[in-house]
Amino acid sequence: MVCPGVGCSIMSISKQLYGQERTIYDYKIGYYLSSYYGYATDTETRWHGASGGLLSAFIAFLLDKGYISAAVVSENDLKSPFLNRTILIHKSSELYRTRSSKYCPVKFNGIIKQVKKEKGKVIIVGLPCIMQGFRKYEMLDKDFKSHILGYIGLYCSCGRTFNLTEYVFKKNKIDKASLSYFQYRDEGCLGSMVAIDKMGTTKIPFQLYYHPLKSFFIPNRCLFCTDHFAEMADIAFGDIHVGKFKKDTVGVNSVVIRKSLFDNLLKEANLAGYVEISPLSKDELINCQIAIRLKKGRVNGVFAFCRMLGIKLPKYDVTLVPTMRLKSALYYLFAKFQMFIGKHRYLWPIISLFTKKGKIC
């Protein structure tokens, strides 16, 4: 009943959530009230955050000012087999543990019970699919819903399996058992994967490991996702690396807001000196996320092709644009071929044959 994997009535639920606000509807973005670009004013937060640290700084503001008692966020847990866990944090000083992106599945088990024990309001941070799952759940559990101040989304083109991490570690001789520090993205705009183990420090530029390996380690369900901007989140954050932001080396975020409460809170955080923000046009917001064209276009052709094959598909009520079905079918088949290689370790040696020269991790 709450699993996002079977689909979600994104448009109808979003209309209930944000239709009474002064929102505009755009089929690529969903309902939205305003959009900005900006960054954390704290140098360390901005340098170590994912493209600007704006999200971390905003949560720090909410905690410090008492708007929330806790935030549901994910941290790197080097003792876990999967190197991550989801936790509730209660102090802004703990946010350093949760900074930057996590390019692997993140588990939320036990979080609902923990949230319902909180005396104050809680913020939940997650990918679009996580937003969908919680939105469906809160319809069934009013007690849980009463504890939530709002949801913070993260833009997402598609997820990555745990095999991505294992492959990169193996290729670069990183010893997971002796890790003392690890981040998928660290040290500035886009940044690098940084791992410190008993052998020393390994740094791999983000562009040299993430994009060349993109299609080999995609979870199958991500091929059918239509939600890039976390359309069911009250406020959502992501990268911006186009136009005047292309030469930035420290980090800048874009943000889209759907609820006036969060528009006011972000502006308050700006006045309080936690963040620096400026208005961002709709066109700039859309252009900074190339994957949105795929989420609202190519996936339509993928759906049509998979229906012909009798593959069971998730159900959405969103607007998708007509697309070249042959091109979408070829994309789907090639992606599945690469994913097959990514799932079988004995085939990993041939991955380098499919990556561009100079961009093999």
Side-chain angles (χ1 to χ4, degrees):
M1 293 177 69
V2 301
C3 176
V6 299
C8 186
S9 300
I10 296 176
M11 192 168 176
S12 59
I13 296 175
S14 295
K15 187 174 182 179
Q16 293 175 31
L17 293 169
Y18 310 120
Q20 304 305 313
E21 300 273 356
R22 295 177 290 103
T23 52
I24 301 168
Y25 180 78
D26 183 273
Y27 81 94
K28 292 181 180 178
I29 305 170
Y31 286 92
Y32 75 100
L33 183 67
S34 54
S35 56
Y36 302 92
Y37 70 88
Y39 50 84
T41 55
D42 178 72
T43 304
E44 283 292 301
T45 302
R46 186 180 181 188
W47 179 246
H48 292 290
S51 294
L54 189 62
L55 171 55
S56 294
F58 182 56
I59 295 176
F61 164 78
L62 296 177
L63 287 168
D64 289 346
K65 301 301 181 182
Y67 286 108
I68 57 174
S69 65
V72 176
V73 288
S74 301
E75 71 166 350
N76 288 333
D77 180 5
L78 303 185
K79 295 181 180 179
S80 166
F82 304 120
L83 300 179
N84 77 75
R85 63 173 181 157
T86 301
I87 58 172
L88 270 77
I89 62 167
H90 298 83
K91 297 178 180 179
S92 60
S93 59
E94 300 175 305
L95 279 166
Y96 76 93
R97 296 159 48 190
T98 69
R99 64 195 184 197
S100 199
S101 302
K102 312 291 186 291
Y103 293 117
C104 62
V106 176
K107 51 188 182 290
F108 281 74
N109 47 308
I111 288 299
I112 288 176
K113 291 182 179 178
Q114 293 179 54
V115 167
K116 291 168 74 170
K117 291 178 182 178
E118 286 294 319
K119 294 181 179 180
K121 294 290 186 178
V122 177
I123 281 285
I124 294 180
V125 181
L127 297 175
C129 51
I130 300 300
M131 299 292 101
Q132 294 169 27
F134 277 117
R135 286 299 192 185
K136 292 169 77 173
Y137 179 76
E138 69 176 18
M139 292 175 155
L140 308 176
D141 190 339
K142 302 303 180 185
D143 181 27
F144 170 78
K145 185 177 180 179
S146 69
H147 286 80
I148 305 300
L149 178 70
Y151 296 90
I152 296 180
L154 306 168
Y155 308 168
C156 184
S157 57
C158 60
R160 298 293 180 270
T161 69
F162 293 114
N163 281 351
L164 169 74
T165 310
E166 186 175 335
Y167 176 85
V168 176
F169 278 16
K170 184 177 181 181
K171 195 79 173 176
N172 294 276
K173 296 181 172 58
I174 298 170
D175 180 25
K176 186 168 74 170
S178 68
L179 280 176
S180 59
Y181 182 84
F182 175 67
Q183 290 289 353
Y184 286 97
R185 280 174 64 180
D186 201 353
E187 300 184 352
C189 177
L190 290 179
S192 302
M193 175 186 283
V194 178
I196 303 176
D197 61 12
K198 63 183 180 181
M199 300 302 293
T201 301
T202 302
K203 295 183 181 182
I204 311 164
F206 176 76
Q207 298 280 41
L208 297 190
Y209 85 86
Y210 184 78
H211 290 292
L213 299 175
K214 185 160 61 173
S215 296
F216 292 98
F217 302 108
I218 298 175
N220 185 69
R221 178 60 178 78
C222 292
L223 295 176
F224 308 107
C225 177
T226 65
D227 187 358
H228 181 81
F229 281 110
E231 295 180 34
M232 303 180 81
D234 300 309
I235 180 171
F237 295 80
D239 293 336
I240 182 165
H241 305 299
V242 297
K244 60 187 176 184
F245 309 102
K246 198 168 185 179
K247 294 182 180 180
D248 173 74
T249 58
V250 184
V252 179
N253 286 112
S254 64
V255 54
V256 57
I257 300 177
R258 301 187 173 87
K259 199 169 184 179
S260 56
L261 169 64
F262 286 88
D263 189 60
N264 293 332
L265 288 173
L266 187 62
K267 289 176 180 176
E268 193 175 326
N270 181 62
L271 291 173
Y274 282 76
V275 302
E276 189 72 36
I277 59 169
S278 298
L280 185 72
S281 71
K282 183 186 83 169
D283 289 341
E284 288 177 307
L285 177 65
I286 292 173
N287 290 338
C288 80
Q289 297 293 316
I290 297 174
I292 189 61
R293 295 196 296 271
L294 309 179
K295 287 290 187 82
K296 299 298 186 180
R298 185 175 64 190
V299 73
N300 197 10
V302 170
F303 273 30
F305 179 66
C306 289
R307 287 192 193 98
M308 291 174 53
L309 299 179
I311 296 173
K312 192 171 183 179
L313 298 168
K315 295 181 180 179
Y316 292 117
D317 62 349
V318 297
T319 302
L320 300 175
V321 297
T323 188
M324 293 179 62
R325 294 191 176 188
L326 177 59
K327 189 174 181 179
S328 296
L330 292 174
Y331 156 77
Y332 176 77
L333 292 172
F334 188 60
K336 292 291 287 186
F337 169 70
Q338 289 184 301
M339 288 160 60
F340 179 84
I341 294 173
K343 288 178 182 178
H344 297 86
R345 290 169 179 78
Y346 66 89
L347 294 176
W348 285 0
I350 69 173
I351 288 179
S352 59
L353 299 177
F354 296 89
T355 53
K356 293 181 181 179
K357 186 177 181 180
K359 290 197 172 185
I360 300 173
C361 70

